[in-house]
Amino acid sequence: MKKRALITGITGQDGSYLAELLLEKGYEVYGIWRRKSVVDFGNIAHLKDRIRLIYADMTDIVSLISALRISQADEVYNLAAQSFVATSWEQPLATAEINAVGVTNLLEAIRIVRPEARFYQASTSEMFGKVQAIPQNEQTPFYPRSPYGVAKLYGHWITKNYRESFGLFACAGILFNHESERRGKEFVTRKITDAAARIALGLQESVSLGNLDAKRDWGHSQDYVRAMWLMLQQDQPDDYVIATGETRSVREFAECAFRAVGIDIDWQGEGADTVGINKENGKTVVRVDPAFFRPAEVELLLGDPAKAERVLGWKREISFDALVTRMAQHDLELVRRETGAKSCIQ
């Protein structure tokens, strides 16, 4: 008999890659999505005939109970979130309702309807925030630096609480930054690769970024959803850091992205006066705008995936250079198809 999986946030980056993985493994896949005035399948348009979508909302426990009854899920993956850190300062209460209380709603629905189901909670490296140790592992103290990180920390701890209080098979994956060609353009990584493509095609002059020296541990979403699945296949539930063990700056990400579309960057100036110059023609392609700096910056995130590698047998397969190159070349082709533009780079 086929296993059944229920995915919240299925139309997002991780949700779409996870749905693909589970379908490949023979699962019957259900996804939760919110009702909107315009139907938007997001990243699962190519999968919509192979999965079953259920209208529900993380802030409405009745709808979540209904989704559990309909799906009768063996595995539940909670990937739904207000996932943009910058927005969490503008909408702190909405972020808390979805990312914190919403997790409790879903856990309660599972406890009531499918207590035997296995549950995965998408935690985040942003919970480490002002890091207390380098690298960060499962024992590193948390110090979130945004409403997003604080809300996610509640979701993380309530997952652990339900595991210990009610015996649910509930796991949390503390995932460090993971990107892909399906990442939303509001995120700095996709903002960079989209801009690099447009600049290479002569459609845009430059891109404005925030803190170029902020460092992150970047991997590819395809690798990370595999870790989610592996967590729910273990004999005992536990929490795991999923990371590459390497850290790169936003500056390095930009260099790699522009290089992938044929532009080499020369950096000039310091701090807010920093600019990135196209070595070929001397034009400024990257500018620093203080408006994009966070109120409380997270300077360095570097994860230690040793436990996941040892217990789950997980290893990342897509390197940093391959990740950025894939994103940049994907955006180059996407923009070219949308506009009919030809590259200005020889």
Side-chain angles (χ1 to χ4, degrees):
M1 187 175 178
K2 280 188 174 184
K3 276 189 178 181
R4 295 183 169 202
L6 177 65
I7 304 171
T8 73
I10 195 170
T11 61
Q13 169 188 256
D14 291 2
S16 63
Y17 281 120
L18 179 61
E20 288 176 347
L21 176 69
L22 296 177
L23 287 169
E24 288 172 6
K25 293 185 177 298
Y27 281 66
E28 192 172 324
V29 176
Y30 293 77
I32 284 177
W33 66 338
R34 289 177 296 167
R35 189 175 297 279
K36 298 180 181 178
S37 57
V38 178
V39 174
D40 180 10
F41 290 103
N43 289 304
I44 58 166
H46 63 299
L47 301 174
K48 60 182 173 56
D49 296 328
R50 301 176 60 195
I51 61 182
R52 182 171 175 184
L53 296 170
I54 303 169
Y55 284 116
D57 192 288
M58 296 298 291
T59 64
D60 180 2
I61 190 171
V62 174
S63 69
L64 296 176
I65 288 173
S66 177
L68 264 297
R69 285 176 174 158
I70 292 169
S71 66
Q72 291 296 302
D74 301 297
E75 297 174 5
V76 179
Y77 296 86
N78 182 34
L79 310 184
Q82 190 297 99
S83 59
F84 193 38
V85 175
T87 299
S88 74
W89 275 287
E90 299 166 0
Q91 300 179 10
L93 297 181
T95 300
E97 284 292 327
I98 298 166
N99 296 6
V101 179
V103 183
T104 312
N105 288 336
L106 186 53
L107 285 165
E108 272 294 285
I110 292 170
R111 188 173 71 87
I112 293 167
V113 181
R114 292 286 290 175
E116 68 273 28
R118 297 189 168 201
F119 175 73
Y120 170 82
Q121 166 62 14
S123 291
T124 171
S125 58
E126 288 285 336
M127 299 187 308
F128 293 119
K130 188 176 181 179
V131 298
Q132 304 299 291
I134 300 172
Q136 296 90 54
N137 60 29
E138 293 81 4
Q139 281 72 51
T140 303
F142 298 116
Y143 196 139
R145 298 268 280 173
S146 67
Y148 171 81
V150 171
K152 276 291 193 175
L153 185 53
Y154 176 100
H156 179 79
W157 279 110
I158 201 68
T159 297
K160 187 186 291 281
N161 187 262
Y162 269 64
R163 178 171 73 219
E164 295 175 353
S165 300
F166 301 116
L168 297 186
F169 193 107
C171 301
I174 307 173
L175 271 56
F176 279 64
N177 294 66
H178 49 290
E179 316 296 326
S180 77
E181 304 89 311
R182 299 177 187 176
R183 183 54 116 175
K185 291 182 182 179
E186 70 272 23
F187 291 86
V188 67
T189 50
R190 188 76 192 288
K191 177 181 178 180
I192 291 170
T193 58
D194 177 68
R198 292 179 183 279
I199 291 167
L201 294 170
L203 301 172
Q204 184 172 321
E205 289 187 358
S206 65
V207 60
S208 295
L209 302 174
N211 184 3
L212 294 174
D213 297 318
K215 293 184 177 181
R216 297 291 184 269
D217 184 326
W218 274 302
H220 197 290
S221 176
Q222 274 185 314
D223 283 337
Y224 286 42
V225 299
R226 184 162 39 84
M228 299 175 189
W229 177 78
L230 284 168
M231 289 180 210
L232 299 197
Q233 312 314 308
Q234 304 307 304
D235 292 334
Q236 299 296 327
D238 206 347
D239 306 326
Y240 299 88
V241 163
I242 305 299
T244 70
E246 299 175 357
T247 189
R248 306 294 183 102
S249 67
V250 173
R251 186 189 304 263
E252 290 175 279
F253 193 102
E255 288 173 350
C256 190
F258 275 91
R259 189 164 55 246
V261 298
I263 299 174
D264 286 325
I265 293 179
D266 180 31
W267 298 101
Q268 299 180 7
E270 294 183 2
D273 296 323
T274 302
V275 292
I277 307 296
N278 182 344
K279 289 182 180 179
E280 182 70 23
N281 58 24
K283 292 183 177 180
T284 298
V285 293
V286 177
R287 301 179 186 277
V288 172
D289 185 345
F292 292 116
F293 281 66
R294 295 182 178 184
E297 184 60 78
V298 175
E299 297 290 349
L300 170 64
L301 291 174
L302 174 61
D304 177 6
K307 179 180 174 181
E309 292 176 351
R310 183 181 72 254
V311 178
L312 304 179
W314 177 86
K315 271 188 178 286
R316 70 95 174 257
E317 296 177 356
I318 301 171
S319 69
F320 174 79
D321 285 348
L323 160 69
V324 182
T325 299
R326 277 175 58 163
M327 291 178 66
Q329 292 183 348
H330 168 270
D331 279 337
L332 190 66
E333 289 305 312
L334 182 63
V335 175
R336 185 179 283 133
R337 287 198 307 270
E338 290 176 348
T339 65
K342 295 181 180 180
S343 178
C344 297
I345 306 300
Q346 300 300 318

